[in-house]
Amino acid sequence: MPQTANKLYIAQTRFIFHCHCKIKIPIEFSDSILDNCFDLMECIDKQYNSHREQSYFDLINRHAGSWVTVDQTTINLIRQLIRISEVTDGAYDITSVPLIRLWGFYDQGVKSMPSPKAIEEALRVVDYKKIDIKENQVMIEKGQEIGTGSFLKSYAVDKVAERLRENGITDAIINVGGSTICGINDENHTRWQVNVPDREEPIYISNKAFCLSASANNFVEINNQRFGHILNAKTGLPSATVQAGVISDSAFLSDALSTAIFALDQKTESKVMEKLKENFEFTYFRK
Amino acid sequence: MKIKSILLYIIGVLFLFFGNKNFWNDLKVEKEKEKIRQKESEAAKINIKKKFEVQSLQYDSINGQWKNPHFYFQLINVSYVNFSPANKAKKTVIESNDDENASDSQ
């Protein structure tokens, strides 16, 4: 396997999507390409991040119960996410924000476990089927809220990879928050090595995107017990999974699928995994 | 008759000045204030002088130059300084490794 030893790259890291985003390209290219890619990421963050005021998803959430006019990208994203939710039988659901809030993953202020009644109440509004799309308009039910945390940064990674390829770059890596890593490779540098925590063997990606969902660093501690940040949107309970990693052609798909696979419970796992494999092309690990 | 009128006029003027007690009191107060003002002004001048360190220069007759044997600070014009937030800083680094570390920090 031909590998170029000591090949030099230029890299920049910036804080976008509430995490560190790194782009690395060969040294012969100008760093203005990096600037351009980060501008693109910031633009996506501003336009679609549900935590950004006046973004399309923020407007949908603010005007829950009314039709909101959005752009085609928002419609496409929602349609694809609904498809993943359908295949995972609702274990993955972008409307699970009220549940996440209930468990205290946003403000870290929750010190007691939510009561079954509170979980039940939150689950009433967690339902991707209640997202209505009509031409270029979207409406969610009152009390519902869409969160972009499980897919937006990865969508941005796909767009940056596209932009790099347009600029003639055939060897690069994009690492967003450590959980979304996209490698671009050519015949001189055929693969990127990705070191995954708590895993002896590294993972190799070649013109693919790897996404990791894990609960080692992202959890709340209630009564000395740790609960991971990824919840099963069907049960309303945190998953017992430690790690789930997905490799596919698209970072967007890898991210959504890794979250979905992480959230699966043992009862439904085999059935849902079969359906996922029928519908999407990807490789994964889960422990 | 004429002298008597002049004397009376002078006495009237003297009464006008010296018979007005408030006028003399105000004059005294104003003089005291002026003294205090002068004292404060002199004290301020001394304070200003204290803030500045007087450094004596030494003449280097061999090189024909004046030298300052004390430590001193020079003002340097650094022109435009960008104080924009750190996250906006575009710092490009050079790397050679071909592996990346995954994490679930985000």
Side-chain angles (χ1 to χ4, degrees), chain A residues 7 9 11-12 14 18 22 24 31 175 177-179 193-195 197 214 216-217, chain B residues 87-106:
Chain A
K7 184 173 177 181
Y9 299 85
Q12 260 191 41
R14 293 195 206 172
H18 211 65
K22 177 178 161 184
K24 188 154 119 174
D31 59 0
N175 183 344
S179 59
Q193 181 181 311
V194 178
N195 306 313
N217 293 316
Chain B
N87 64 340
K88 290 282 177 191
K90 299 164 188 172
K91 194 184 172 193
T92 304
V93 293
I94 294 172
E95 292 186 5
S96 63
N97 57 318
D98 74 337
D99 65 332
E100 280 293 309
N101 295 319
S103 88
D104 67 319
S105 58
Q106 183 38 234

Short mmCIF file of all heavy atoms in Angstrom, two decimals, chain A residues 7 9 11-12 14 18 22 24 31 175 177-179 193-195 197 214 216-217, chain B residues 87-106:
data_model
loop_
_atom_site.label_atom_id
_atom_site.label_comp_id
_atom_site.label_asym_id
_atom_site.label_seq_id
_atom_site.Cartn_x
_atom_site.Cartn_y
_atom_site.Cartn_z
N LYS A 7 4.43 13.50 4.71
CA LYS A 7 3.77 14.48 3.85
C LYS A 7 3.29 15.65 4.74
O LYS A 7 2.81 15.42 5.84
CB LYS A 7 2.58 13.84 3.13
CG LYS A 7 1.92 14.77 2.15
CD LYS A 7 0.87 14.09 1.34
CE LYS A 7 0.19 15.10 0.44
NZ LYS A 7 -0.86 14.51 -0.37
N TYR A 9 1.03 18.98 5.70
CA TYR A 9 -0.31 19.53 5.52
C TYR A 9 -0.41 20.87 6.25
O TYR A 9 0.33 21.12 7.20
CB TYR A 9 -1.36 18.60 6.14
CG TYR A 9 -1.42 17.23 5.52
CD1 TYR A 9 -0.55 16.22 5.95
CD2 TYR A 9 -2.33 16.93 4.52
CE1 TYR A 9 -0.60 14.96 5.39
CE2 TYR A 9 -2.39 15.68 3.95
CZ TYR A 9 -1.52 14.69 4.39
OH TYR A 9 -1.57 13.44 3.84
N ALA A 11 -3.16 23.03 8.51
CA ALA A 11 -4.41 22.75 9.25
C ALA A 11 -4.84 23.98 10.03
O ALA A 11 -4.01 24.78 10.47
CB ALA A 11 -4.20 21.58 10.20
N GLN A 12 -6.14 24.12 10.14
CA GLN A 12 -6.70 25.20 10.97
C GLN A 12 -7.80 24.61 11.84
O GLN A 12 -8.54 23.72 11.39
CB GLN A 12 -7.31 26.29 10.09
CG GLN A 12 -6.42 27.50 9.89
CD GLN A 12 -7.18 28.65 9.22
OE1 GLN A 12 -8.32 28.93 9.53
NE2 GLN A 12 -6.50 29.32 8.31
N ARG A 14 -11.03 25.80 14.32
CA ARG A 14 -11.88 26.90 14.81
C ARG A 14 -13.06 26.35 15.60
O ARG A 14 -13.42 25.20 15.43
CB ARG A 14 -12.41 27.74 13.64
CG ARG A 14 -11.29 28.48 12.94
CD ARG A 14 -11.84 29.56 12.05
NE ARG A 14 -10.91 29.86 10.97
CZ ARG A 14 -11.20 30.65 9.97
NH1 ARG A 14 -12.38 31.21 9.89
NH2 ARG A 14 -10.30 30.89 9.02
N HIS A 18 -20.36 24.65 18.50
CA HIS A 18 -20.09 24.38 19.91
C HIS A 18 -18.98 23.35 20.09
O HIS A 18 -18.94 22.59 21.06
CB HIS A 18 -21.38 23.91 20.60
CG HIS A 18 -21.43 24.30 22.04
ND1 HIS A 18 -21.49 25.59 22.46
CD2 HIS A 18 -21.40 23.55 23.17
CE1 HIS A 18 -21.50 25.61 23.76
NE2 HIS A 18 -21.43 24.39 24.23
N LYS A 22 -11.64 21.02 12.78
CA LYS A 22 -10.31 21.07 12.17
C LYS A 22 -10.38 20.63 10.72
O LYS A 22 -11.02 19.62 10.39
CB LYS A 22 -9.38 20.16 12.96
CG LYS A 22 -7.98 20.06 12.42
CD LYS A 22 -7.18 19.16 13.33
CE LYS A 22 -5.95 18.63 12.67
NZ LYS A 22 -5.24 17.69 13.54
N LYS A 24 -7.73 19.88 7.45
CA LYS A 24 -6.30 19.68 7.13
C LYS A 24 -6.18 19.36 5.64
O LYS A 24 -6.82 18.42 5.16
CB LYS A 24 -5.81 18.52 7.99
CG LYS A 24 -4.34 18.27 7.95
CD LYS A 24 -3.96 17.59 9.27
CE LYS A 24 -3.37 16.24 9.06
NZ LYS A 24 -2.88 15.62 10.29
N ASP A 31 -3.99 28.67 2.27
CA ASP A 31 -4.88 28.62 3.44
C ASP A 31 -6.15 29.44 3.24
O ASP A 31 -7.05 29.42 4.08
CB ASP A 31 -4.16 28.99 4.75
CG ASP A 31 -3.55 30.36 4.72
OD1 ASP A 31 -3.70 31.04 3.69
OD2 ASP A 31 -2.94 30.76 5.73
N ASN A 175 -12.18 17.11 10.81
CA ASN A 175 -12.51 16.52 12.11
C ASN A 175 -13.33 17.52 12.92
O ASN A 175 -12.84 18.58 13.30
CB ASN A 175 -11.21 16.16 12.86
CG ASN A 175 -11.47 15.47 14.18
OD1 ASN A 175 -12.57 15.50 14.71
ND2 ASN A 175 -10.43 14.85 14.72
N GLY A 177 -15.25 18.12 16.24
CA GLY A 177 -15.54 17.70 17.62
C GLY A 177 -15.03 16.31 17.96
O GLY A 177 -15.39 15.76 19.00
N GLY A 178 -14.25 15.70 17.08
CA GLY A 178 -13.75 14.35 17.33
C GLY A 178 -14.79 13.29 17.04
O GLY A 178 -14.46 12.11 16.90
N SER A 179 -16.06 13.71 16.92
CA SER A 179 -17.12 12.72 16.72
C SER A 179 -17.52 12.56 15.25
O SER A 179 -18.20 11.61 14.90
CB SER A 179 -18.34 13.09 17.55
OG SER A 179 -18.79 14.37 17.17
N GLN A 193 -5.95 7.19 9.35
CA GLN A 193 -6.14 6.37 10.55
C GLN A 193 -6.90 7.18 11.60
O GLN A 193 -6.55 8.34 11.86
CB GLN A 193 -4.78 5.97 11.11
CG GLN A 193 -4.86 5.10 12.36
CD GLN A 193 -3.51 4.75 12.92
OE1 GLN A 193 -2.63 4.31 12.18
NE2 GLN A 193 -3.33 4.96 14.21
N VAL A 194 -7.90 6.58 12.18
CA VAL A 194 -8.68 7.26 13.23
C VAL A 194 -8.55 6.47 14.53
O VAL A 194 -8.89 5.28 14.58
CB VAL A 194 -10.17 7.40 12.82
CG1 VAL A 194 -10.98 8.06 13.94
CG2 VAL A 194 -10.32 8.17 11.52
N ASN A 195 -8.00 7.12 15.54
CA ASN A 195 -7.85 6.46 16.85
C ASN A 195 -9.12 6.68 17.66
O ASN A 195 -9.50 7.82 17.92
CB ASN A 195 -6.65 7.05 17.59
CG ASN A 195 -5.40 6.98 16.74
OD1 ASN A 195 -5.10 5.95 16.15
ND2 ASN A 195 -4.66 8.09 16.66
N PRO A 197 -11.23 6.19 21.16
CA PRO A 197 -10.99 5.92 22.59
C PRO A 197 -11.63 4.59 23.02
O PRO A 197 -12.68 4.21 22.50
CB PRO A 197 -11.64 7.11 23.30
CG PRO A 197 -12.55 7.73 22.30
CD PRO A 197 -12.01 7.42 20.95
N ALA A 214 -20.84 8.27 21.77
CA ALA A 214 -20.42 7.59 23.00
C ALA A 214 -20.83 8.41 24.20
O ALA A 214 -21.17 9.59 24.07
CB ALA A 214 -18.90 7.39 22.98
N ALA A 216 -18.90 8.53 27.12
CA ALA A 216 -17.78 8.66 28.07
C ALA A 216 -17.62 10.10 28.59
O ALA A 216 -17.32 10.32 29.75
CB ALA A 216 -16.49 8.20 27.42
N ASN A 217 -17.83 11.06 27.71
CA ASN A 217 -17.63 12.46 28.11
C ASN A 217 -18.92 13.27 28.19
O ASN A 217 -18.92 14.38 28.71
CB ASN A 217 -16.68 13.16 27.12
CG ASN A 217 -15.29 12.59 27.20
OD1 ASN A 217 -14.76 12.37 28.27
ND2 ASN A 217 -14.70 12.32 26.04
N ASN B 87 -11.39 33.01 19.03
CA ASN B 87 -11.98 32.00 18.15
C ASN B 87 -12.04 32.46 16.70
O ASN B 87 -12.27 31.67 15.81
CB ASN B 87 -13.35 31.56 18.64
CG ASN B 87 -14.36 32.66 18.61
OD1 ASN B 87 -14.01 33.83 18.58
ND2 ASN B 87 -15.62 32.29 18.62
N LYS B 88 -11.84 33.75 16.48
CA LYS B 88 -11.85 34.24 15.11
C LYS B 88 -10.43 34.21 14.53
O LYS B 88 -10.24 34.45 13.35
CB LYS B 88 -12.39 35.68 15.08
CG LYS B 88 -13.87 35.77 15.38
CD LYS B 88 -14.70 35.37 14.18
CE LYS B 88 -16.18 35.41 14.54
NZ LYS B 88 -17.01 34.80 13.51
N ALA B 89 -9.47 33.95 15.39
CA ALA B 89 -8.10 33.96 14.92
C ALA B 89 -7.87 32.83 13.92
O ALA B 89 -8.29 31.71 14.13
CB ALA B 89 -7.16 33.80 16.10
N LYS B 90 -7.24 33.16 12.83
CA LYS B 90 -6.98 32.15 11.81
C LYS B 90 -5.53 31.72 11.95
O LYS B 90 -4.64 32.39 11.44
CB LYS B 90 -7.24 32.74 10.43
CG LYS B 90 -8.66 33.19 10.23
CD LYS B 90 -8.73 34.10 9.02
CE LYS B 90 -10.11 34.71 8.92
NZ LYS B 90 -10.15 35.73 7.89
N LYS B 91 -5.32 30.68 12.67
CA LYS B 91 -3.95 30.24 12.88
C LYS B 91 -3.73 28.95 12.11
O LYS B 91 -4.29 27.90 12.44
CB LYS B 91 -3.71 30.03 14.38
CG LYS B 91 -2.24 29.89 14.70
CD LYS B 91 -2.05 29.60 16.16
CE LYS B 91 -0.60 29.27 16.44
NZ LYS B 91 -0.41 28.69 17.76
N THR B 92 -2.95 29.04 11.06
CA THR B 92 -2.67 27.86 10.27
C THR B 92 -1.42 27.20 10.82
O THR B 92 -0.41 27.85 11.05
CB THR B 92 -2.45 28.26 8.79
OG1 THR B 92 -3.60 28.98 8.35
CG2 THR B 92 -2.25 27.04 7.92
N VAL B 93 -1.51 25.89 11.05
CA VAL B 93 -0.34 25.15 11.54
C VAL B 93 0.06 24.10 10.50
O VAL B 93 -0.74 23.71 9.66
CB VAL B 93 -0.62 24.46 12.90
CG1 VAL B 93 -0.83 25.47 14.01
CG2 VAL B 93 -1.83 23.53 12.81
N ILE B 94 1.29 23.68 10.60
CA ILE B 94 1.77 22.65 9.67
C ILE B 94 1.82 21.33 10.40
O ILE B 94 2.35 21.23 11.51
CB ILE B 94 3.14 23.05 9.07
CG1 ILE B 94 2.93 24.29 8.20
CG2 ILE B 94 3.73 21.91 8.25
CD1 ILE B 94 4.18 24.93 7.68
N GLU B 95 1.24 20.30 9.79
CA GLU B 95 1.22 18.97 10.42
C GLU B 95 1.72 17.93 9.42
O GLU B 95 1.67 18.15 8.21
CB GLU B 95 -0.22 18.61 10.83
CG GLU B 95 -0.74 19.46 11.96
CD GLU B 95 -2.10 19.00 12.45
OE1 GLU B 95 -2.61 17.97 11.98
OE2 GLU B 95 -2.67 19.70 13.33
N SER B 96 2.17 16.81 9.95
CA SER B 96 2.63 15.76 9.04
C SER B 96 1.99 14.41 9.33
O SER B 96 2.07 13.50 8.53
CB SER B 96 4.15 15.62 9.14
OG SER B 96 4.48 15.21 10.44
N ASN B 97 1.33 14.30 10.47
CA ASN B 97 0.78 12.99 10.83
C ASN B 97 -0.42 12.62 9.95
O ASN B 97 -1.06 13.49 9.37
CB ASN B 97 0.37 12.99 12.31
CG ASN B 97 -0.61 14.09 12.61
OD1 ASN B 97 -0.45 15.20 12.13
ND2 ASN B 97 -1.62 13.80 13.37
N ASP B 98 -0.71 11.34 9.87
CA ASP B 98 -1.85 10.93 9.05
C ASP B 98 -2.89 10.19 9.89
O ASP B 98 -3.58 9.34 9.42
CB ASP B 98 -1.40 10.11 7.85
CG ASP B 98 -0.99 8.71 8.23
OD1 ASP B 98 -0.64 8.49 9.41
OD2 ASP B 98 -1.03 7.84 7.38
N ASP B 99 -2.95 10.52 11.19
CA ASP B 99 -4.02 9.94 11.99
C ASP B 99 -4.75 11.03 12.76
O ASP B 99 -4.23 12.11 13.01
CB ASP B 99 -3.48 8.86 12.94
CG ASP B 99 -2.53 9.43 13.98
OD1 ASP B 99 -1.88 10.44 13.67
OD2 ASP B 99 -2.43 8.86 15.06
N GLU B 100 -5.99 10.74 13.06
CA GLU B 100 -6.83 11.68 13.79
C GLU B 100 -7.41 10.98 15.01
O GLU B 100 -7.62 9.76 14.99
CB GLU B 100 -7.98 12.16 12.91
CG GLU B 100 -7.60 13.23 11.92
CD GLU B 100 -7.24 14.55 12.59
OE1 GLU B 100 -8.00 15.04 13.42
OE2 GLU B 100 -6.15 15.08 12.26
N ASN B 101 -7.69 11.75 16.04
CA ASN B 101 -8.27 11.17 17.24
C ASN B 101 -9.76 11.45 17.31
O ASN B 101 -10.18 12.60 17.19
CB ASN B 101 -7.58 11.74 18.49
CG ASN B 101 -6.13 11.34 18.53
OD1 ASN B 101 -5.77 10.20 18.22
ND2 ASN B 101 -5.27 12.27 18.89
N ALA B 102 -10.50 10.37 17.49
CA ALA B 102 -11.95 10.52 17.65
C ALA B 102 -12.26 10.70 19.13
O ALA B 102 -11.47 10.27 19.98
CB ALA B 102 -12.67 9.30 17.12
N SER B 103 -13.35 11.35 19.41
CA SER B 103 -13.80 11.47 20.80
C SER B 103 -15.29 11.74 20.80
O SER B 103 -15.86 12.04 19.76
CB SER B 103 -13.04 12.58 21.52
OG SER B 103 -13.71 13.80 21.34
N ASP B 104 -15.89 11.63 21.97
CA ASP B 104 -17.32 11.91 22.04
C ASP B 104 -17.57 13.19 22.81
O ASP B 104 -18.61 13.37 23.41
CB ASP B 104 -18.07 10.75 22.69
CG ASP B 104 -17.70 10.62 24.15
OD1 ASP B 104 -16.52 10.78 24.46
OD2 ASP B 104 -18.59 10.36 24.97
N SER B 105 -16.55 14.07 22.79
CA SER B 105 -16.69 15.31 23.54
C SER B 105 -17.82 16.16 23.00
O SER B 105 -18.33 17.04 23.66
CB SER B 105 -15.39 16.12 23.52
OG SER B 105 -15.05 16.39 22.19
N GLN B 106 -18.23 15.93 21.81
CA GLN B 106 -19.33 16.69 21.22
C GLN B 106 -20.35 15.74 20.62
O GLN B 106 -20.03 14.80 19.96
CB GLN B 106 -18.77 17.62 20.14
CG GLN B 106 -19.71 18.52 19.46
CD GLN B 106 -20.80 19.14 20.27
OE1 GLN B 106 -21.94 19.01 19.90
NE2 GLN B 106 -20.51 19.78 21.37
#
